[in-house]
Amino acid sequence: MDTVEFNLEERTAIFGERIIELAQSLPDNSVNDVLIRQIVRSGTSVGANYMEADSAGSKKDFKYKIDLCRKEAKETKHWLRMIAKANPNEKETIRPLWQEAHELTLIFSSIAMSCRKK
């Protein structure tokens, strides 16, 4: 059986890249301008916060950064929903991004919970 390496750093970086690609593909209008700023900020910060967590100097700092990852992933789900509402023709493009944001939220929630148990 083949094993797939689980690389959260790469996964969050790819997620951020896909968010940027979505943002660049959306039509330029006043609603999208606001939504794009929000989603690029939250969607790319998931990976940035994970990079900081990975090099945290203490367990407390690690847990704090992981909590930020979870919050940013969850916020990204919200902005994806708003973008889908503002751009109904993009729903099929947005759906896998929303699913990935959801999975990242669950992963970071699990990591945060295991930090609390220790």
Side-chain angles (χ1 to χ4, degrees), residues 40-94:
V40 168
R41 189 174 292 124
S42 66
T44 59
S45 71
V46 176
N49 282 306
Y50 180 71
M51 296 282 292
E52 289 185 27
D54 195 42
S55 60
S58 68
K59 288 181 183 180
K60 183 178 178 181
D61 190 33
F62 176 80
K63 185 195 169 303
Y64 174 73
K65 295 296 182 185
I66 291 296
D67 278 337
L68 285 178
C69 293
R70 180 188 55 79
K71 289 176 185 178
E72 295 293 346
K74 193 170 182 178
E75 181 181 337
T76 302
K77 287 173 27 181
H78 171 77
W79 294 122
L80 285 165
R81 179 177 175 176
M82 297 303 107
I83 288 172
K85 179 66 175 177
N87 302 273
N89 57 324
E90 296 293 332
K91 284 184 180 179
E92 291 308 310
T93 302
I94 292 167

Side-chain angles (χ1 to χ4, degrees), residues 29-41 79:
N29 63 49
S30 60
V31 172
N32 280 343
D33 289 348
V34 173
L35 297 174
I36 288 167
R37 273 195 296 281
Q38 294 290 344
I39 198 161
V40 168
R41 189 174 292 124
W79 294 122

